[in-house]
């Protein structure tokens, strides 16, 4: 069993013949989810521009997707091995604590983006009771943040599982 997270959540061990294919296909699926999320957002933006909607698409509609994207980049830039370092002492580098803080900031950005998109959907689209065509514009923002969240989770799981062939670049 492979430990994936900080806590004791374990995933089943994948046979070594499947690891490379799982790593590659998981990366592609994660990229597809991320692209699909932004596609839904741009579709909602185009729909807001082409219809006579009582609600206008503003900068506040962009913020949740940007927060989730930034959180995804921060979260997936952290290696799992940095989180496992347990050097509690005054002489240690404190790298594990810094990595955990950075991971927390990334997860908080993703959660804040998701909460922001639900809040915008509720305040801007559900409370005024707009018609169904305009309501899709609000739902496209929530769909975007959920897909970016799923993309980030998949990329985190795929890149932080036990994978024998790590990418090592050497400059000569």
């Amino acid at each position: 069993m492979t430990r994936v997270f900080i806590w004791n959540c374990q995933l089943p061990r994948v046979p070594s013949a499947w690891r490379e294919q799982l790593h590659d296909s998981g990366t592609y699926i994660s990229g597809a989810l991320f692209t699909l999320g932004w596609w839904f957002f741009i579709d909602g933006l185009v729909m807001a521009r082409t219809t006579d909607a009582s609600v206008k698409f503003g900068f506040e509609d962009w913020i949740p997707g940007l927060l989730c994207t930034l959180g995804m980049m921060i979260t997936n830039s952290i290696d799992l091995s940095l989180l496992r370092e347990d050097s509690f002492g005054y002489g240690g580098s404190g790298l594990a604590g810094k990595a955990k803080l950075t991971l927390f900031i990334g997860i908080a950005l993703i959660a804040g983006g998701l909460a922001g998109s639900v809040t915008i959907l509720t305040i801007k689209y559900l409370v005024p009771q707009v018609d169904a065509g305009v309501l899709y514009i609000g739902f496209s923002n929530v769909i975007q943040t959920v897909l970016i969240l799923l993309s980030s989770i998949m990329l985190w799981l795929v890149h932080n599982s036990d994978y024998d062939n790590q990418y090592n670049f050497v400059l000569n």
Side-chain angles (χ1 to χ4, degrees):
M1 300 295 256
T2 305
R3 293 185 190 276
V4 177
F5 296 106
I6 300 168
W7 53 92
N8 291 330
C9 178
Q10 295 182 349
L11 293 178
R13 196 133 179 90
V14 178
S16 62
W18 296 355
R19 283 187 196 150
E20 188 172 342
Q21 292 175 349
L22 182 66
H23 183 268
D24 291 342
S25 62
T27 303
Y28 294 141
I29 291 170
S30 173
L33 288 172
F34 181 79
T35 304
L36 193 62
W38 276 100
W39 181 84
F40 270 106
F41 177 76
I42 292 171
D43 186 46
L45 179 66
V46 169
M47 183 175 238
R49 298 283 183 195
T50 58
T51 60
D52 289 333
S54 59
V55 179
K56 297 298 178 194
F57 212 81
F59 182 69
E60 68 275 359
D61 294 308
W62 287 82
I63 293 173
L66 294 175
L67 286 177
C68 281
T69 301
L70 182 63
M72 179 183 180
M73 289 188 296
I74 290 172
T75 303
N76 288 304
S77 67
I78 298 171
D79 189 19
L80 183 65
S81 64
L82 293 175
L83 300 175
R84 291 185 182 155
E85 180 184 308
D86 290 325
S87 61
F88 296 111
Y90 295 108
S93 65
L95 191 59
K98 293 173 188 173
K100 289 176 184 177
L101 178 65
T102 306
L103 180 66
F104 174 75
I105 291 170
I107 292 173
L109 284 171
I110 294 173
L114 181 62
S117 68
V118 171
T119 302
I120 289 172
L121 171 70
T122 304
I123 293 174
K124 203 171 176 183
Y125 298 97
L126 291 178
V127 171
Q129 296 178 348
V130 296
D131 56 329
V134 178
L135 192 61
Y136 169 74
I137 300 168
F139 274 110
S140 68
N141 208 343
V142 175
I143 292 169
Q144 175 202 23
T145 55
V146 167
L147 287 174
I148 292 174
L149 170 71
L150 293 175
S151 171
S152 180
I153 290 171
M154 176 167 275
L155 196 61
W156 172 261
L157 288 175
V158 169
H159 281 281
N160 285 315
S161 61
D162 284 340
Y163 182 61
D164 297 329
N165 300 327
Q166 294 289 329
Y167 297 109
N168 293 321
F169 297 107
V170 178
L171 297 175
N172 291 327

